[in-house]
């Protein structure tokens, strides 16, 4: 197969593309790797339909984009430290779904994830879509005045609302029987990141904030920070800056976590949804 067989069909003008002509279960040629990686940087979220991957093949496919990374707080798949199984059983009515609030993966770490590769193993007949936001376009569509205000500002990120002491585990809607998630005050640490980060490969600037892990601006209270943070979240979530992924069994998505945020919809009670996620190691946002 040559690069000329790789097709790139955009889902929207700014975010998301469907890739054709690539079988991720086999090693990619150099020209395929180049074409796919260029599409990843340009479109931020890539979809590969009809893939059939073992966990080791998921890891090999992920290496086109980065190195596998073991995330904290979620027990990985045995023998595959970079992979977690994201499962909500049909019997888990009204319960939590993993990734169900707007977030950027692991933004509370010193080196948040570069991205992730998500494989749909079993999906509901309808529902369970994932929505992605283009945080580069979100930054670019701000006024010059607000860009200037944000330049040089930092925000405090923490896992306290996702895995820490702010999770009310007495409420069954916040728990899952299908995944081993380690919730507790050990997840309450804080990390400072720039509000606007520069992509290490493209030089593009993106908003690097998200509603679950970004707690407040540096040197400001939560109350002082919330109005502007809420404005920025609402601005970013405008439909024209998003794409929506409808999963089918065998769909594999790869996203660039440095220029996106996402949310998995929890609208499929009574059906099983099983995904496999390989997380990719990232660098420190600058
Ligand atoms: C995630 O946030 O990694 C989960 C996304 C999904 O299950 O669609």
């Amino acid at each position: 197969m040559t690069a000329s067989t790789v097709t790139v069909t955009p889902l929207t003008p700014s975010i998301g593309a469907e890739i054709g002509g690539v079988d991720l279960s086999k090693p990619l040629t150099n020209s395929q790797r180049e074409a796919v990686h260029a599409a990843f940087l340009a479109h931020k979220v890539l979809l590969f339909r009809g893939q059939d991957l073992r966990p080791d093949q998921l890891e090999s496919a992920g290496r086109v984009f980065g190195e596998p990374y073991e995330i904290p707080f979620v027990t990985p798949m045995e023998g595959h430290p970079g992979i977690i199984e994201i499962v909500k059983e049909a019997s888990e009515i009204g319960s939590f779904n993993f990734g169900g609030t707007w977030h950027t993966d692991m933004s509370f770490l010193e080196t948040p994830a570069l991205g992730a590769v998500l494989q749909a193993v079993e999906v509901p007949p309808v529902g369970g879509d994932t929505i992605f936001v283009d945080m580069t376009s979100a930054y670019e569509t701000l006024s010059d005045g607000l860009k200037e205000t944000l330049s040089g500002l930092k925000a405090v990120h923490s896992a306290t609302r996702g895995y820490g002491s702010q999770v009310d585990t007495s409420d069954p809607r916040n728990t899952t029987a299908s995944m081993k998630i380690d919730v507790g005050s050990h997840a309450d640490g804080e990390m400072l990141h720039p509000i606007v980060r520069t992509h290490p490969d493209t030089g593009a600037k993106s908003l690097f904030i998200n509603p679950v892990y970004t707690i407040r601006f540096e040197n400001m209270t939560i109350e002082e920070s919330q109005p502007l943070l809420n404005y920025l979240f609402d601005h970013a979530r405008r439909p024209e800056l998003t794409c929506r992924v409808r999963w089918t069994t065998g769909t594999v998505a790869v996203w660039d976590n440095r220029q996106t945020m996402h949310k998995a919809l929890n609208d499929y009670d009574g059906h099983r949804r099983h995904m496999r996620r390989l997380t990719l190691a990232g660098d420190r946002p600058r």
Side-chain angles (χ1 to χ4, degrees):
M1 235 181 227
T2 66
S4 63
T5 63
V6 176
T7 59
V8 180
T9 309
L11 298 180
T12 78
S14 82
I15 181 166
E18 203 158 314
I19 303 296
V22 174
D23 178 352
L24 292 175
S25 70
K26 302 200 168 80
L28 271 54
T29 63
N30 285 344
S31 55
Q32 282 181 315
R33 290 174 85 95
E34 277 166 28
V36 166
H37 199 261
F40 175 64
L41 296 179
H43 297 279
K44 303 153 191 132
V45 178
L46 300 184
L47 298 184
F48 302 80
R49 300 287 188 186
Q51 306 289 323
D52 183 13
L53 303 182
R54 298 187 309 257
D56 60 301
Q57 292 170 323
L58 180 62
E59 287 160 340
S60 303
R63 286 200 171 87
V64 171
F65 308 94
E67 282 304 308
Y69 174 75
E70 182 172 350
I71 63 166
F73 313 132
V74 185
T75 302
M77 190 177 191
E78 208 176 322
H80 301 278
I83 298 179
I84 58 169
E85 304 246 47
I86 299 174
V87 180
K88 185 174 166 233
E89 296 291 352
S91 56
E92 293 184 272
I93 306 288
S95 99
F96 157 95
N97 74 320
F98 186 84
T101 45
W102 285 107
H103 67 285
T104 301
D105 296 330
M106 309 287 123
S107 77
F108 51 83
L109 297 179
E110 183 175 358
T111 54
L114 176 154
V117 188
L118 189 65
Q119 174 188 11
V121 179
E122 186 178 343
V123 293
V126 64
D129 296 354
T130 308
I131 306 181
F132 292 87
V133 166
D134 175 355
M135 297 299 271
T136 303
S137 294
Y139 172 75
E140 285 168 355
T141 50
L142 294 173
S143 66
D144 289 345
L146 188 46
K147 284 183 188 151
E148 180 69 29
T149 302
L150 297 177
S151 122
L153 285 187
K154 291 189 172 171
V156 173
H157 292 241
S158 171
T160 186
R161 296 173 186 152
Y163 301 99
S165 54
Q166 289 193 43
V167 180
D168 177 5
T169 48
S170 66
D171 183 338
R173 285 170 304 181
N174 295 329
T175 61
T176 167
S178 311
M179 296 174 65
K180 284 205 184 104
I181 302 183
D182 178 20
V183 172
S185 56
H186 53 280
D188 287 349
E190 295 190 338
M191 183 56 57
L192 272 180
H193 290 307
I195 301 271
V196 179
R197 76 179 289 183
T198 303
H199 198 289
D201 297 332
T202 66
K205 290 183 174 177
S206 305
L207 280 179
F208 193 68
I209 50 170
N210 62 89
V212 67
Y213 301 136
T214 308
I215 307 295
R216 58 185 174 81
F217 291 106
E218 183 182 26
N219 300 325
M220 293 189 205
T221 65
I222 292 176
E223 292 73 20
E224 288 167 341
S225 308
Q226 213 58 59
L228 181 51
L229 284 176
N230 284 343
Y231 172 79
L232 294 169
F233 298 144
D234 288 345
H235 169 80
R237 288 180 300 216
R238 284 181 301 149
E240 58 270 34
L241 302 184
T242 69
C243 72
R244 179 166 175 151
V245 173
R246 172 108 201 254
W247 298 97
T248 45
T249 300
T251 296
V252 171
V254 188
W255 60 86
D256 188 341
N257 197 52
R258 301 161 296 186
Q259 46 180 348
T260 58
M261 68 173 175
H262 61 277
K263 171 189 168 92
L265 299 185
N266 193 4
D267 56 356
Y268 55 93
D269 268 0
H271 296 282
R272 185 171 199 268
R273 183 176 185 272
H274 176 190
M275 316 290 277
R276 247 175 222 148
R277 190 184 92 184
L278 175 78
T279 310
L280 302 171
D283 60 356
R284 184 156 197 167
R286 309 228 177 256

